[in-house]
Amino acid sequence: MFSENDHAAMQRALALAAQGMYLTTPNPRVGCVLIKGGQIIGEGYTQPAGQDHAEIQALKDAAARGVDVSGATAYVTLEPCSHFGRTPPCADALVRSGVARVVAAMEDPNPAVSGRGLQRLRDAGIDVRCGLLEKEARDLNIGFVSRMTRGLPWVRVKVAASLDGGTALHDGTSQWITGQAARDDGHAWRARACAILTGIGTVRDDDPQLTVRAVSTPRQPQRVLVDSRLEVPLDARMLARDSGDFAKPVLVFCAIDAPERRAALEARGAEVIVLPNARGKVELRQMIEELGRRGINELHVEAGFKLNGSLIREGCADELLVYLAPRLLGDAQGMFHLPPLSSLRDAPAFRWHDVRQIGDDLRLIARRQQADPA
Ligand SMILES: NC(=O)c1ccc[n+]([C@@H]2O[C@H](COP(=O)([O-])OP(=O)(O)OC[C@H]3O[C@@H](n4cnc5c(N)ncnc54)[C@H](OP(=O)(O)O)[C@@H]3O)[C@@H](O)[C@H]2O)c1
């Protein structure tokens, strides 16, 4: 159904979509290529929310080149929208442009609108195909797909560990287990996330800023803290507003309502959300749901073994992003604090998604077996 030229054009559209990696949230990253007579006559990718979608950028690009789009094929990595959101429907713009054929990589994952954009194009007599390089397209927007289909962000837990699984010495020292290249790579994963989450133990030991520094990004992810008793020091670096451009307040999830502490944190610009579980800790599942409601597509976790373990236990971790350094820490804190198992059948199961070397370290990506919407 799809030719080699179709594949090449969609690959280009996916590469364009990836240029919006740090840009488009909470919208998906989308690329569009217009081809006529075997030539690219326009291309574009989705801009920050409220600005042009990929199709509009590509049509504007073609207009700037002075090319007539009628009869062209449009390759888009996601079904063109058919509804008025913050911008007018892209399907209508494609119809008006006179394109003869539209190839989409995937349908819109939002069940409320899925298929309607493609139908609008078909109704206008356009030859519409869908499903080219769909897996790649879904992967590029794994968080958006997750939020649209499950109402939950895609939760990626990042861990830097020694070959024997150590993530910190018993005195809390963990900087640095992995090398510079791995740490820089970790910042690229931070940058693509809508939010970065940590626990009070990590704030106490490391006082992280939780900002993106090693890669250039037009926006900083929102910062989120799990802190049952609101013990975060008011001078914690993650509460600082001067370490980047933060449009959104730091979210602090806690298990007690302590009006004075809450007021002090709010005065620092944080938002406090009380979500207790039966053990007096934060109810993690509800926290993840709340982040989904707030438009978080990809949640990047950089916490210690306690919070990491709880996220695994509660079935909240979709993906593990593990950097393994070729050194041994011996008797140290592990990656996940989990209770002993009585049967191997009960072991939380993942499958390998990607394995590669980054500098002197290994990067392993594993996904929870039931989670993968890609
Ligand atoms: N190598 C790495 O990749 C890496 C990354 C980050 C941190 N670290 C290291 O990890 C160490 C800190 O580990 P940690 O385990 O103490 O810190 P953590 O996992 O960041 O935070 C744990 C704390 O979160 C709170 N919490 C609230 N609700 C919870 C829930 N439902 N489940 C679990 N925890 C909940 C608990 O505090 P309450 O008891 O107050 O409820 C708990 O003590 C530091 O030494 C740091 O250097 C290593």
Side-chain angles (χ1 to χ4, degrees), residues 306-322:
K306 288 185 197 141
L307 188 51
N308 285 349
S310 292
L311 286 166
I312 298 276
R313 266 203 311 275
E314 317 259 326
C316 294
D318 299 310
E319 184 174 292
L320 308 181
L321 169 66
V322 179

Side-chain angles (χ1 to χ4, degrees), residues 3 31 36 52 77 166 299 359 371:
S3 68
K36 190 170 172 180
D52 285 348
T77 58
L299 176 66

Side-chain angles (χ1 to χ4, degrees), residues 160 167 172 174 199 201-202 205-206 226 228-229 281-282 303-304 306-307 310:
T167 58
S174 66
T202 298
D205 286 346
D206 298 350
V226 176
S228 306
R229 291 179 294 278
K281 304 221 178 273
V282 173
K306 288 185 197 141
L307 188 51
S310 292

Side-chain angles (χ1 to χ4, degrees), residues 158-162 165-178 197-208 210 225-231 253-255 275 277 279-285 287 301-311 313-314 321 323 329 333-335 337:
K158 180 237 161 184
V159 183
S162 61
T167 58
L169 304 182
H170 285 299
D171 69 1
T173 309
S174 66
Q175 292 168 342
W176 301 105
I177 294 171
T178 49
L197 177 137
T198 195
I200 183 65
T202 298
V203 171
R204 255 191 228 117
D205 286 346
D206 298 350
D207 194 15
L210 295 189
L225 174 64
V226 176
D227 176 14
S228 306
R229 291 179 294 278
L230 290 182
E231 291 169 324
F253 285 91
C254 65
L275 274 185
N277 68 11
R279 292 178 297 115
K281 304 221 178 273
V282 173
E283 173 56 54
L284 298 177
R285 190 77 197 175
M287 175 186 74
V301 180
E302 288 197 26
F305 73 139
K306 288 185 197 141
L307 188 51
N308 285 349
S310 292
L311 286 166
R313 266 203 311 275
E314 317 259 326
L321 169 66
Y323 296 91
L329 292 193
Q333 291 181 17
M335 296 191 209
H337 182 60

Side-chain angles (χ1 to χ4, degrees), residues 223-293:
R223 293 170 294 181
V224 185
L225 174 64
V226 176
D227 176 14
S228 306
R229 291 179 294 278
L230 290 182
E231 291 169 324
V232 58
L234 293 177
D235 61 354
R237 297 202 298 173
M238 73 171 288
L239 296 177
R241 294 186 123 185
D242 52 6
S243 47
D245 171 25
F246 293 100
K248 293 186 172 168
V250 175
L251 294 181
V252 182
F253 285 91
C254 65
I256 55 161
D257 201 2
E260 273 180 35
R261 285 297 293 166
R262 171 196 280 261
L265 284 167
E266 285 171 353
R268 296 283 290 138
E271 180 181 346
V272 176
I273 300 169
V274 188
L275 274 185
N277 68 11
R279 292 178 297 115
K281 304 221 178 273
V282 173
E283 173 56 54
L284 298 177
R285 190 77 197 175
Q286 283 180 23
M287 175 186 74
I288 302 289
E289 286 168 8
E290 176 61 22
L291 294 174
R293 276 192 290 277

